Amino acid sequence: ALAVSLNLRMHLRIQPGSEGRVSINMPNIDTFLSWDMSSLQALLAASRGESSTGAVEPDPAVVQKLREYAGLVDGLADTRSLAVLTFLYIYLCLFAESRELPSLTMAVWSELPTGAGLGSSAAFSVCLSAALLACRGAIACLAVEAGQTARWSDDELELINKWAFQGEKIIHGNPSGVDNAMGTWGGALRYHSGKTKPLSSTPVLRILLTNTRVPRSTKVLVSGVRDKMTKFPAIMNPVLESIDAISCECERTLMEMASGPEIQHYRVLEELIDINHHHLNVMGVGHPSLDRLCQVSLAHGLHSKLTGAGGGGCGITLLTPDTDSSEVERSMQELKDCGYDCWETSIGAPGVLHHSSSSLTEDVLKVLNDY
């Protein structure tokens, strides 16, 4: 498979907090919490791992203690509860060997919709890991000039990625590691046999991102694919081999585009998008809402496919250099008339960055300053 970064960003800011308290403010999910340092200090022993900076595998007993501390109902797996658990786990593990926990206030604002299969949980884990590792001194606290952003070294990014993967384990149980790697490195990466490898160079492509707002369960969809493979191996295995070939052809095309995209490259991508969407329908992860997305966009000369787990959720539509802007506007309006959310954005964006305040938009700054 190929994974490509989405240029809708999550912003996280940590500042020194009022003495003796830790506060987290996540207005996207209506979460505003504050804890007394003395009560958090008592949890340190339970969270202590072999190393304060080496990523520590989540211990179910520790996670359960954190659940009890935060007053979360046992087994509750809503977005708010999982975000709180992830913060407490990474914060306490990273500062487990410190004499005193730091007082801090954390504010988070996301342009990514949650629960839509777009990796918002991984974006949170990556931002959280980067910020807390910098607070801990395990990675550099980068100096950023006004209006600019800065990027950590490859070794530091690897450490951020390892901690973010532990956060993803708390949220998802058994994640592939693709989403946190994508959030860390950005660009595009290849995923094969459980291993990820960033592509050396990829173009930034304009897309429409459409959220059908149809809820789905990744676990149920994956189970359905597994059942089909068991029942019809002679049919399903060639489909998977074909999808693998699509990914390889797409990778070759993207690599060629990095040195100078031409219109024929976009035509290849459009064909691959159409074929891939139909293959995913064959596998049972399609949905009428996603087919409707493809029909609406194709009527305007645009090519779309589902993304993420399928079964609803989101789809992407490729915008080429010769796409008429009026067709894009009409397509977006028709999709909104279907009850969908639709944005124009891009893929192939950079991963985690340290931003100067002046590099952020006024809207993002206002939200962060309010909390």
Side-chain angles (χ1 to χ4, degrees), residues 217-235:
S217 165
T218 301
K219 188 177 292 185
V220 170
L221 289 160
V222 169
S223 177
V225 172
R226 188 180 294 113
D227 291 344
K228 268 192 172 62
M229 290 177 64
T230 302
K231 192 174 181 180
F232 305 113
I235 297 171

Side-chain angles (χ1 to χ4, degrees), residues 71-263:
L72 303 175
V73 177
D74 193 25
L76 200 61
D78 62 285
T79 302
R80 177 184 180 277
S81 301
L82 294 172
V84 171
L85 275 179
T86 303
F87 168 79
L88 287 172
Y89 183 79
I90 295 178
Y91 170 73
L92 289 169
C93 284
L94 278 175
F95 292 96
E97 293 183 4
S98 302
R99 290 185 178 180
E100 291 186 8
L101 292 168
S103 295
L104 56 85
T105 296
M106 181 182 83
V108 182
W109 178 250
S110 179
E111 298 166 349
L112 277 166
T114 59
L118 296 175
S120 60
S121 67
F124 175 67
S125 293
V126 169
C127 288
L128 180 64
S129 298
L132 290 176
L133 282 165
C135 287
R136 178 68 176 79
I139 62 174
C141 190
L142 300 173
V144 190
E145 293 183 14
Q148 301 295 310
T149 60
R151 189 167 170 81
W152 286 275
S153 70
D154 285 351
D155 286 344
E156 290 172 319
L157 288 172
E158 190 57 50
L159 185 59
I160 291 169
N161 186 47
K162 286 178 179 177
W163 272 104
F165 187 41
Q166 304 313 316
E168 280 283 85
K169 286 181 180 178
I170 288 178
I171 294 168
H172 294 296
N174 186 30
S176 67
V178 169
D179 285 357
N180 51 275
M182 197 75 270
T184 301
W185 301 101
L189 60 81
R190 178 197 301 118
Y191 175 77
H192 185 255
S193 300
K195 295 181 180 179
T196 58
K197 180 181 179 182
L199 272 60
S200 57
S201 183
T202 52
V204 174
L205 301 175
R206 289 172 60 219
I207 63 161
L208 295 183
L209 173 70
T210 301
N211 183 2
T212 66
R213 303 172 70 176
V214 174
R216 78 286 174 277
S217 165
T218 301
K219 188 177 292 185
V220 170
L221 289 160
V222 169
S223 177
V225 172
R226 188 180 294 113
D227 291 344
K228 268 192 172 62
M229 290 177 64
T230 302
K231 192 174 181 180
F232 305 113
I235 297 171
M236 296 301 291
N237 286 330
V239 174
L240 290 172
E241 289 174 11
S242 182
I243 289 176
D244 178 63
I246 292 168
S247 296
C248 292
E249 184 64 30
C250 184
E251 180 181 342
R252 281 192 292 272
T253 304
L254 291 174
M255 296 296 281
E256 287 179 11
M257 293 176 77
S259 58
E262 298 180 11
I263 199 64

